[in-house]
Amino acid sequence: MKKINNYIAKNINEYNDLYSKSISHPENFWSDIASTFDWRKKWTKTLEYDFNKPEFKWFLNGKLNITENCLDRHLKHNPNKTAILFEPNDPKEATQKISYKELHRRVCVFANVLKNKNVKKGDRVCIYMPMVPELTIAVLACARVGAVHSVVFAGFSATALAARINDSECKVLLTADGSFRGSKVIDLKTIVDQALIKCNSINSTIVLKRIGSDIQMNSNQSWWHDEIKNISTDCFAEEMDSEDMLFILYTSGSTGKPKGMVHSCGGYMIYSAYTFLNVFQYKPNDIYWCTADIGWITGHSYIVYGPLLSGATSVMFEGVPSYPDYSRFWNIVEKHKITHFYTAPTAIRALAKHSVSLVESNDLSSLKVLGTVGEPINEEAWHWYDKNIGKVTGRLKNGWTPEEAVDLEEHKREHNVDKDFTCEGKSYPNARALADAYDKTHRYVSYRMSLGATPEQAVGLESFTPDTETSRAIEFRGTNYPSLLALAEAFNVKYTLFISRRHRGWSLEDSLELTDKARSRTSSSDTTNISIDGNTFKDSNAFAKFYDLDPLVVEKRMNSGWSPQRILDDQ
């Protein structure tokens, strides 16, 4: 049997050679790589596509189960190798090391639990859990029985959870009594119960005891630890077609209604494993850590599937980089001798605001490869990361998911990524650097600049009122208005809000709140009391102003189901 290492580039010449083959003969290239995995039945055709639909199918008529490649095949040679290294939120709580043999056993047990709940191939299972090993076990157990998992980030509200359950018509919900996030304890069960009021498809809810809270269990709800008692450790993996659904993962909803993105079994398996090995150059004894949440595609591909398909040791971290202080990431690197560290530019910017002594007090010599993901990394964050963390390695990689790649040029335009600014006589390479220098969010600065603010006005050094002198005259619904300001005032709409909506491509009707869609988007935030950190705000605008956020971004995200805490965490 071919080995996938034969297709991993070891230097730039090998990379160029492999890349050339992938472009000139893509079917042969990917067929050779797919042959290094275990299949029940080989495919009859590697690729079929139609760019006009668009539709792409990989490894047609191939039969497999992805968990046999994540787990079973590693039992032959490395059963005792650590598959998951779990670092809890509380640094005083013991680390868990789960071997491939133990992970296989626990996945099979929970897969049988799902079977006992009458979960069959093609059924959808919603997973709303904190970053604990049972989350990975739940994901793989679904795949084992052929169920489609839909992981919902555990920071989402009851409304967002209910919308995703209903859209995919989930049969079973897997959750926890709560979660630990830094110094906070979050009551997930109450959120779940609120969501289920609006859901009719859920037949069973299984609850993991994580925080040990005193909760009320309803008739169709049961404890995880009770369900796994006296359950067989043998579970034959369901045979899946390469094009069968593996999972549904919803977009965040920050740009509109959340969309359920479907990933199938065969093509996803090959690509997630190959990119993991080729990009990160993972070696058998390395310790790999992606700090993302499994609730996002990065977590699916580069905490669960990519590493486990490759027989790697993958670190799962329950906490946040600021707890108990901002040295936590680097404490963990030293503690577990992390070799590969993969995090987000947002996290790097937050860490860079604190003393470098928090980094220097830890031994980071184990690091070999650094990566960032989630967005194109800005220059200042890259240099801080390279200088203070990357000094032990020359390998620093940046990646983003397909959806983020599509939005890259729009991101650059909207946030002035590539434009130089001068403020108080000092030059800044882009809006983010300007914002960081004055302790503002880049969204706040970019929002004001989109309305014509100077750099000094954008960071609050000078007062700012949008320039109405240059506003053009406009005719709307048979009436002439001397300026856009006059138009906005005629319809009692805040001018900055109106202009910002127009910059984002809204129609005049939507921008002036003359449509049902626009009115619903506005009223849902204006009438909501928002409570966080002991503060209560009458609406999203008050919340945004207090935390120095872009009010339109806050409004859009809250209407899409983002919780106030997640909005703050995203900063």
Side-chain angles (χ1 to χ4, degrees), residues 143 293 332 515 531:
D293 192 287
I332 294 172
T515 62
S531 296

Side-chain angles (χ1 to χ4, degrees), residues 49-119:
Y49 61 90
D50 183 344
F51 275 103
N52 295 319
K53 286 188 178 180
E55 184 177 78
F56 303 86
K57 296 180 180 180
W58 286 94
F59 312 111
L60 281 75
N61 302 311
K63 307 297 180 183
L64 74 155
N65 186 287
I66 195 170
T67 67
E68 291 183 324
N69 286 279
C70 288
L71 302 171
D72 301 62
R73 67 173 178 157
H74 303 312
L75 302 184
K76 303 172 187 176
H77 306 293
N78 293 301
N80 297 318
K81 180 175 180 177
T82 299
I84 296 176
L85 197 163
F86 173 60
E87 178 67 24
N89 176 73
D90 185 351
K92 296 179 182 178
E93 185 177 339
T95 298
Q96 294 182 40
K97 293 185 178 181
I98 303 173
S99 68
Y100 274 92
K101 181 178 180 180
E102 175 65 10
L103 182 59
H104 177 269
R105 184 191 72 79
R106 293 173 68 175
V107 167
C108 287
V109 166
F110 201 74
N112 286 326
V113 169
L114 293 177
K115 287 184 176 181
N116 290 342
K117 297 297 181 182
N118 201 32
V119 173

Side-chain angles (χ1 to χ4, degrees), residues 142-206:
C142 289
R144 190 81 175 179
V145 302
V148 179
H149 58 77
S150 174
V151 180
V152 178
F153 173 61
F156 275 150
S157 66
T159 300
L161 174 60
R164 287 158 173 78
I165 290 174
N166 290 333
D167 187 74
S168 55
E169 298 179 338
C170 293
K171 189 173 185 178
V172 171
L173 173 60
L174 309 176
T175 188
D177 57 349
S179 64
F180 297 111
R181 188 170 180 82
S183 59
K184 301 174 183 177
V185 179
I186 300 170
D187 179 5
L188 293 182
K189 180 60 165 52
T190 296
I191 296 173
V192 164
D193 288 341
Q194 291 172 350
L196 290 179
I197 294 173
K198 304 175 183 178
C199 302
N200 297 318
S201 62
I202 297 294
N203 297 327
S204 301
T205 300
I206 300 176

Side-chain angles (χ1 to χ4, degrees), residues 72 130 151 237 262 281 483 523:
D72 301 62
V151 180
V262 173
Q281 297 287 299
S483 66
S523 61

Side-chain angles (χ1 to χ4, degrees), residues 478-491:
T479 302
N480 292 313
Y481 298 90
S483 66
L484 294 176
L485 174 62
L487 174 62
E489 289 180 340
F491 287 89

